[in-house]
């Protein structure tokens, strides 16, 4: 039996977590979520996700900074990261060190979420 891919959603908007969880579960993924950005590495270690979906706008820490911490940490550097943003200017940063693997523009449709997730999990 093939194990379902596990996705960690990090967002301080509970409704956003609920919507993404519903969509991802409906497409056969395992989903973990958290709004506690400061515990991200403990959460990653505990749930061992294949992919992290991260909101750029977070009350306690900038999502770009959090993505950079994940990408520059030896233990998590190969973890795929998709950031969610309402800004258009995030695309030009993808080549920088510590940059996300992809950007999901808000508001997004179900199909764009699933296609970006599938693309990153296949990479």
């Amino acid at each position: 039996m093939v194990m379902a891919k596990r996705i960690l959603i990090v967002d301080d908007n509970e409704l956003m977590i609920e919507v993404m969880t519903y969509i991802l579960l409906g497409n056969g993924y395992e989903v973990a979520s958290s709004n506690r950005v400061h515990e991200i590495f403990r959460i990653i270690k505990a749930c061992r996700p294949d992919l992290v979906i991260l909101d750029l706008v977070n009350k306690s820490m900038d999502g770009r900074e959090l993505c950079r911490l994940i990408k520059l940490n030896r233990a998590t550097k190969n973890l795929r990261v998709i950031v969610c943003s309402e800004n258009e200017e995030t695309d030009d940063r993808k080549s920088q060190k510590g940059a996300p693997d992809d950007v999901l523009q808000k508001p997004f449709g179900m199909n764009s979420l699933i296609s970006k997730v599938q693309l990153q999990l296949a990479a």
Side-chain angles (χ1 to χ4, degrees):
M1 191 172 115
V2 177
M3 292 282 294
K5 295 285 188 179
R6 187 170 298 138
I7 299 168
L8 172 63
I9 302 168
V10 182
D11 198 320
D12 54 12
N13 180 334
E14 289 296 326
L15 182 62
M16 197 48 117
I17 287 177
E18 277 181 43
V19 169
M20 284 197 277
T21 298
Y22 179 79
I23 294 168
L24 294 167
L25 287 173
N27 281 272
Y29 296 102
E30 282 183 27
V31 180
S33 64
S34 178
N35 57 8
R36 295 188 305 275
V37 179
H38 55 283
E39 295 179 15
I40 188 73
F41 288 102
R42 189 186 62 72
I43 296 164
I44 287 173
K45 192 174 180 179
C47 85
R48 304 176 59 79
D50 299 293
L51 172 71
V52 175
I53 299 176
L54 186 62
D55 189 35
L56 278 189
V57 180
N58 220 299
K59 288 182 199 88
S60 45
M61 182 189 279
D62 180 84
R64 275 181 283 275
E65 186 56 33
L66 186 55
C67 180
R68 201 169 10 262
L69 290 174
I70 292 170
K71 289 296 189 177
L72 299 179
N73 181 310
R74 215 171 41 237
T76 57
K77 69 175 192 256
N78 294 324
L79 189 55
R80 310 299 292 174
V81 178
I82 297 175
V83 294
C84 298
S85 173
E86 292 177 16
N87 277 335
E88 301 296 322
E89 36 77 40
T90 43
D91 282 337
D92 59 341
R93 296 205 181 100
K94 277 200 249 178
S95 58
Q96 290 182 358
K97 201 166 172 62
D101 298 293
D102 209 341
V103 176
L104 182 62
Q105 295 294 338
K106 285 181 176 177
F108 55 83
M110 195 167 104
N111 293 340
S112 63
L113 172 63
I114 294 302
S115 65
K116 290 211 182 259
V117 165
Q118 288 172 338
L119 187 71
Q120 289 310 314
L121 290 174

